[in-house]
Amino acid sequence: MSFFITFEGIEGSGKTTQIRRTAAFLRERGHDVLLTREPGGCPISDAIRRILLDPANSALVPRAELLLYAAARAQHVEEVIAPALHRGMTVLCDRFTDATLAYQGFGRGLDIALIEKLNAVAAGAFAPQLTVLLDMPAEDGLERARRRNLDPALQIEGRFESEALAFHRRVRQGYLEIAATLKRFRILDARGSEDEVFHRIVSALAPFLGEQS
Ligand code: TMP
């Protein structure tokens, strides 16, 4: 049976590390896992990602940004997510429709109803059954993201990380507001050690896996 799980959180919340660990954990339990991310996940959407995250593109206007995220998602859903779910895979996606509500809606101030319509166009009938929100104060997340960017071995994708603290606070608040209205969300504290956070995720997954938490 297919299972669609998304991970969300502000910059530096540890999502990418934790989603990789979760994929390994589920594979060990026999799940056929597809690990993917947005924006990206297939060549056309990866090309759109490069436009979106290139710090040289500071002139990108919010509505164009919104439409590019929607375009990247439409391609990704049709080319990657839908076929994997139809094959019965467990799909783990690093960000999805909620990121557009949080960043372009709450962060940029674009109309929420418009974003919901575009999300519906881009994602069609595909909605996650579970969304893990790794929550932490914006200050802590940005501090972690900036430290990561100082490491030359790690990729620097700076356009959002250079946004003001107030922007990231709005994004975090947005995520919390969205999460409060939807049953599929699990809000987890993203502070603490990598192992501590991972154990919180495993506990949140347990009911879905038919195991004790
Ligand atoms: P990542 O750092 O998690 O890979 O995400 C890339 C950036 O794109 C991150 O700053 C959040 C942003 N983003 C949006 O603004 N809207 C969206 O719909 C998505 C999927 C990501």
Side-chain angles (χ1 to χ4, degrees):
M1 211 184 72
S2 68
F3 192 20
F4 185 18
I5 310 174
T6 57
F7 279 58
E8 300 282 357
I10 58 165
E11 320 295 314
S13 58
K15 251 175 339 80
T16 306
T17 308
Q18 295 295 348
I19 202 172
R20 286 195 189 126
R21 284 188 72 165
T22 306
F25 172 84
L26 290 172
R27 284 187 181 120
E28 278 164 21
R29 279 169 167 63
H31 287 248
D32 191 7
V33 175
L34 173 85
L35 174 56
T36 189
R37 67 168 180 185
E38 289 209 343
C42 56
I44 293 171
S45 307
D46 280 331
I48 298 173
R49 178 186 181 94
R50 287 193 285 280
I51 298 172
L52 280 164
L53 302 187
D54 186 348
N57 287 338
S58 57
L60 193 63
V61 298
R63 277 179 305 143
E65 180 183 281
L66 172 65
L67 293 168
L68 285 172
Y69 278 110
R73 178 163 304 128
Q75 186 69 32
H76 183 219
V77 166
E78 192 153 335
E79 194 177 323
V80 178
I81 294 180
L85 290 173
H86 282 135
R87 283 201 301 276
M89 293 182 82
T90 298
V91 175
L92 298 185
C93 192
D94 189 339
R95 300 195 185 281
F96 197 57
T97 44
D98 303 309
T100 318
L101 285 168
Y103 280 81
Q104 281 63 52
F106 288 82
R108 300 273 190 239
L110 293 177
D111 183 53
I112 297 289
L114 169 67
I115 297 172
E116 280 172 342
K117 277 190 206 141
L118 282 173
N119 277 347
V121 171
F126 297 94
Q129 282 127 294
L130 173 67
T131 299
V132 173
L133 174 59
L134 293 178
D135 177 59
M136 60 164 35
E139 293 84 341
D140 299 12
L142 279 185
E143 172 60 28
R144 269 214 231 173
R146 288 189 177 132
R147 250 185 284 133
R148 179 185 64 200
N149 281 354
L150 293 177
D151 183 342
L154 298 173
Q155 216 180 355
I156 298 174
E157 296 181 300
R159 211 169 60 83
F160 280 86
E161 285 163 15
S162 55
E163 284 289 340
L165 178 61
F167 174 86
H168 294 283
R169 285 193 174 139
R170 288 197 299 277
V171 172
R172 182 205 186 190
Q173 201 47 42
Y175 270 130
L176 290 172
E177 283 185 32
I178 299 161
T181 65
L182 295 169
K183 275 168 89 174
R184 67 178 157 84
F185 265 90
R186 297 292 174 277
I187 305 173
L188 305 181
D189 190 347
R191 291 169 301 180
S193 73
E194 210 181 288
D195 283 349
E196 282 166 346
V197 177
F198 182 61
H199 286 126
R200 289 176 199 139
I201 294 171
V202 170
S203 299
L205 283 174
F208 291 85
L209 304 175
E211 295 171 11
Q212 289 294 311
S213 62

